[in-house]
Amino acid sequence: MAALAVATVLLPLVAGCGGGEDGTGPDAKGAKATAGQQGAGKNAGQGGGAFPDKGVIVTASCSVPASKPATVTVTGWDPATWEQTVSRTFTVPAEAVVAEADDVASPLVELCADNFPGVGASEDGPRAVAATRLRQLFDKDFSRMAVVLIDRETEATGVGYVDTRGKLTKLSGAPSDDFGDTPREEDAVFAQNGSAVWFTETDSSDRVRIASRSVAGEHAVTEQADGDGDYMDGAGLALAGDPVRGLFGKEVRVSPDGRKATAFITWQGYNVVDVPQGSALLKAKRVKATGIPSEADCYPYGWVDDTAVLCGSRLGKAEDPKRKNSFWTLDTSRLDGTADLPKGALGDPIIPATDRKNTVRTVSQDGKQMIFASLQGTRLEFFVSATTPGATPKKITAKGADRALRVGDVLEWR
């Protein structure tokens, strides 16, 4: 079951993706520049103040206007009143990768995917719970955003970050003068303590390297892991645990304690992975993974605690009538590695069966509540519900909720 697309009116893209001619491409190590030519400082500090440690829902949306640089807005909402409490805007640098081009991977491309010309309005509801790597576009307090930078002439890519004042810091060094592969640093994500930007690089033989660059000093590179990237098309980088490790895989969602993750593994389907001691590629025979039995019919939306995964139907249509368009939990601690579903591992339906199309938007940090979008014909509504079986969904009627939940991604509810 794929994440659902946002219905939106799209504006043509002119600025925000083109390369400059000022010699400040991704090969300028440690260089700092103003992101874009317009609006870089106008909204700096808008809705200023720190994001609260709790009692806030954080959303991110991307805007691609016709004649100005693309922007990403991160907003904090009070879940009780749905009033906006804090907002920060990042102006996307002109040399940043923001659209699908040349197979360059970046979580920013996913965030901005529904904001480009040629993408028609959709009858589907909003996207599902954001994958871990989308949250990790930003540091812990949402003061900096990681970006992948491209030299439009050589197609070399590097990594950096932009702050809310519009200042771009480039972390990657200049390409070597030797006759070799074009630098392809991509998949930029932030360590949550803000100390480094992590990335991947794939060479001409499809070998994937996981590494990080320090944001301090000379932006030193630390090699983390490497491996054969065959059959991993569409994979991305997510960070887990403390000390932090890089996980390169598909649809990675990390448990609250950072010890486990769900991921789609080629030839194995959806799995529960034990986060290894070091960084790793999440592929068959490379990590300790337990397959989710097909009987569980579990598309993993996220985690409600350190062992239980919140599920929806994999194909969008549950075979069990009681689970039609509902959600349920799967106790991963009971999985034994066989194709059979252990007794007691699957929870009962959380919300009543219905013909509505329902999509989980976010799960609270304590895992006790969730917010889901519900599409009935063309009418889109939002509900809050407990994550326990037999819960009664409560419709969210505050005007701000529709504005907050309809567009973009919900990064976290803390």
Side-chain angles (χ1 to χ4, degrees):
M1 176 179 176
L4 300 176
V6 178
T8 184
V9 177
L10 302 170
L11 297 174
L13 172 67
V14 174
C17 294
E21 298 181 356
D22 58 357
T24 57
D27 57 349
K29 182 178 181 180
K32 296 182 180 180
T34 299
Q37 297 180 354
Q38 302 179 51
K42 182 178 179 180
N43 293 324
Q46 178 185 10
F51 278 80
D53 291 332
K54 59 181 180 179
V56 64
I57 290 176
V58 183
T59 65
S61 61
C62 181
S63 175
V64 189
S67 59
K68 295 181 180 180
T71 59
V72 171
T73 302
V74 180
T75 307
W77 306 85
D78 183 333
T81 64
W82 287 98
E83 293 180 353
Q84 179 178 309
T85 59
V86 61
S87 179
R88 292 178 181 165
T89 298
F90 298 86
T91 304
V92 179
E95 57 265 61
V97 177
V98 70
E100 290 187 21
D102 305 312
D103 298 321
V104 179
S106 171
L108 185 59
V109 172
E110 184 176 343
L111 180 65
C112 294
D114 296 321
N115 293 279
F116 289 86
V119 181
S122 171
E123 294 182 356
D124 293 331
R127 298 166 174 171
V129 177
T132 296
R133 70 193 192 110
L134 281 183
R135 168 61 184 89
Q136 293 170 348
L137 264 172
F138 310 91
D139 58 6
K140 185 176 181 179
D141 62 357
F142 300 98
S143 63
R144 294 170 290 180
M145 180 177 74
V147 291
V148 175
L149 306 168
I150 187 167
D151 183 314
R152 304 293 172 179
E153 182 178 7
T154 66
E155 297 185 354
T157 54
V159 299
Y161 65 87
V162 63
D163 64 21
T164 55
R165 296 173 295 171
K167 185 172 69 175
L168 168 64
T169 300
K170 301 174 183 180
L171 304 178
S172 300
S176 171
D177 291 333
D178 296 335
F179 185 76
D181 285 346
T182 303
R184 300 281 290 184
E185 296 182 6
E186 51 189 1
D187 269 321
V189 289
F190 243 116
Q192 293 301 280
N193 64 8
S195 64
V197 170
W198 287 57
F199 62 93
T200 64
E201 187 169 26
T202 305
D203 65 19
S204 56
S205 62
D206 285 333
R207 193 159 189 85
V208 176
R209 158 189 177 235
I210 300 174
S212 61
R213 286 189 179 275
S214 171
V215 302
E218 294 298 311
H219 312 308
V221 175
T222 301
E223 303 294 336
Q224 305 289 350
D226 68 345
D228 183 358
D230 282 346
Y231 303 104
M232 296 194 72
D233 292 345
L237 180 65
L239 306 181
D242 184 15
V244 66
R245 280 92 83 193
L247 306 178
F248 183 69
K250 300 179 183 179
E251 301 184 46
V252 179
R253 302 181 191 277
V254 180
S255 65
D257 63 3
R259 296 181 178 180
K260 293 184 178 294
T262 56
F264 185 88
I265 297 178
T266 303
W267 299 315
Q268 293 183 186
Y270 285 106
N271 279 249
V272 177
V273 179
D274 290 345
V275 173
Q277 293 299 309
S279 300
L281 278 64
L282 304 186
K283 61 181 302 184
K285 300 180 181 180
R286 287 295 301 267
V287 291
K288 183 179 179 181
T290 304
I292 296 178
S294 59
E295 188 181 349
D297 189 22
C298 178
Y299 169 81
Y301 278 109
W303 297 77
V304 298
D305 57 34
D306 294 334
T307 59
V309 171
L310 179 63
C311 304
S313 178
R314 283 176 173 169
L315 301 178
K317 186 177 181 180
E319 293 184 8
D320 182 350
K322 295 180 181 179
R323 298 182 185 274
K324 184 178 179 182
N325 294 318
S326 186
F327 310 107
W328 50 92
T329 57
L330 175 68
D331 184 351
T332 64
S333 67
R334 294 175 180 263
L335 300 183
D336 55 14
T338 69
D340 298 324
L341 179 66
K343 184 177 181 180
L346 200 66
D348 290 331
I350 293 174
I351 64 174
T354 177
D355 62 358
R356 292 168 172 259
K357 296 179 181 179
N358 301 314
T359 307
V360 178
R361 288 292 270 149
T362 186
V363 180
S364 61
Q365 191 172 48
D366 63 8
K368 294 181 179 180
Q369 296 184 86
M370 65 177 175
I371 292 172
F372 65 92
S374 185
L375 191 65
Q376 188 176 39
T378 59
R379 184 173 64 183
L380 180 63
E381 299 173 316
F382 299 96
F383 292 82
V384 62
S385 169
T387 55
T388 51
T392 301
K394 181 179 179 182
K395 184 177 177 179
I396 302 173
T397 58
K399 292 181 180 179
D402 189 71
R403 184 159 55 98
L405 297 170
R406 186 177 286 267
V407 177
D409 287 273
V410 180
L411 300 182
E412 63 179 338
W413 179 2
R414 60 190 187 191

